Amino acid sequence: MSEHKKVALVTGASAGLGAEFCRQLASRCDVIIAIARSVERLQALAAELENVVEMHCIGADLTTIEGQTRAMEALRQQGPVDYLVNNAGFSTFAPFAESSIDSQRAMLDLHIDATITLCRAAIPFMQERGGGVIINVSSLGALLPGKRLSVYGASKAFLNHFSEALQLELAGSGIEVQALCPGFTRTEFHDALSDHGFARERIPAELWMESSEVVEQSLAALGSGRVLVVPGAHNLAIARTALEKSLAQLG
């Protein structure tokens, strides 16, 4: 009987939180399936981690059916997986009525379709093995509405609800589901937003976190029973205030 290798699949793995998940999961896994559009950047990360973990670099655009199919094939060939990290994401930054509908749909394809597709593929194998971890990277923006970010926030709110409901369905299976809700994080995510009027300098320095901190708190929360994980005390305070305001409006 072959020895069971610990395998992780991470999307959006070429930079930011995705690359950091690969770094921090490397010591927990034997194999990482790293998926992103840039194979060159994945290969550079694989070279960085070559003495720690075996990496398979898959170039795929998960906003497309072709890209999702490539990810599914990688999971079939290199899996099953013990860790599934649905991290790939992007956002536009403009009033909804002035935004390209194609870019909004692409965001839903990436945040929602790709996530549920990979979850659906991974879960039966996790159930068969008696456990696993699914981390759906959401956002603090899922918990409070933001101007010029309407579809982004709504798609992340879907991930929160989906993750919570999925954990209820999987209770007793040994599978743990987490929706990670980071706030402002120093990654390339905001580069594209800056081109459309997002001003980094307007955000107080104390509100920013490093990718390493966010991922460390995500992994540390595994086993706690929490589905929604908001890293950073300042972000947690913001989330609680936003939820209190929402509850106050019920009636």
Side-chain angles (χ1 to χ4, degrees), residues 132-146:
V133 171
I134 297 171
I135 299 175
N136 296 321
V137 178
S138 179
S139 170
L140 186 62
L143 302 173
L144 59 158

Side-chain angles (χ1 to χ4, degrees), residues 3-9 25 28-31 33 75 78-85 122-123 125-127 129-135 174-176 222:
E3 180 184 354
H4 168 54
K5 289 187 175 182
K6 288 282 187 180
V7 181
L9 187 152
L25 285 173
R28 300 184 180 210
C29 297
D30 302 293
V31 177
I33 306 167
L75 190 153
Q78 306 298 335
V81 298
D82 301 274
Y83 292 87
L84 172 61
V85 182
I123 287 171
F125 294 104
M126 289 182 175
Q127 289 174 315
R129 284 185 167 180
V133 171
I134 297 171
I135 299 175
I175 301 172
E176 185 169 1
L222 295 176

Side-chain angles (χ1 to χ4, degrees), residues 194-242:
S194 297
D195 294 337
H196 297 281
F198 176 80
R200 291 174 185 261
E201 64 275 9
R202 294 182 182 177
I203 309 301
E206 62 269 20
L207 294 185
W208 291 91
M209 294 182 68
E210 301 296 333
S211 296
S212 56
E213 297 177 278
V214 173
V215 173
E216 182 178 347
Q217 291 187 33
S218 169
L219 297 179
L222 295 176
S224 69
R226 289 184 289 148
V227 177
L228 298 184
V229 174
V230 180
H234 58 289
N235 289 325
L236 190 56
I238 291 170
R240 285 174 172 161
T241 299

Side-chain angles (χ1 to χ4, degrees), residues 109-210:
D109 289 338
L110 182 57
H111 296 171
I112 297 176
D113 285 356
T115 294
I116 65 173
T117 297
L118 288 172
C119 283
R120 181 61 183 84
I123 287 171
F125 294 104
M126 289 182 175
Q127 289 174 315
E128 185 176 332
R129 284 185 167 180
V133 171
I134 297 171
I135 299 175
N136 296 321
V137 178
S138 179
S139 170
L140 186 62
L143 302 173
L144 59 158
K147 292 181 180 179
R148 304 169 70 89
L149 295 165
S150 56
V151 174
Y152 174 80
S155 68
K156 295 298 189 175
F158 171 92
L159 292 181
N160 286 5
H161 187 98
F162 172 65
S163 299
E164 290 185 297
L166 193 57
Q167 184 66 89
L168 290 175
E169 292 182 10
L170 295 172
S173 69
I175 301 172
E176 185 169 1
V177 185
Q178 180 186 112
L180 176 64
C181 301
F184 293 110
T185 308
R186 298 187 191 281
T187 69
E188 297 176 7
F189 176 85
H190 294 93
D191 290 352
L193 304 190
S194 297
D195 294 337
H196 297 281
F198 176 80
R200 291 174 185 261
E201 64 275 9
R202 294 182 182 177
I203 309 301
E206 62 269 20
L207 294 185
W208 291 91
M209 294 182 68
E210 301 296 333

Side-chain angles (χ1 to χ4, degrees), residues 17-69:
L17 291 174
E20 190 59 36
F21 266 111
C22 290
R23 293 186 182 100
Q24 295 195 29
L25 285 173
S27 62
R28 300 184 180 210
C29 297
D30 302 293
V31 177
I32 294 178
I33 306 167
I35 299 177
R37 288 177 297 175
S38 173
V39 176
E40 292 77 12
R41 296 181 73 171
L42 290 177
Q43 290 173 337
L45 180 63
E48 174 189 333
L49 299 175
E50 64 180 345
N51 294 323
V52 185
V53 70
E54 175 185 337
M55 279 187 63
H56 297 271
C57 303
I58 309 297
D61 181 352
L62 296 180
T63 67
T64 68
I65 295 296
E66 179 186 1
Q68 292 182 23
T69 300

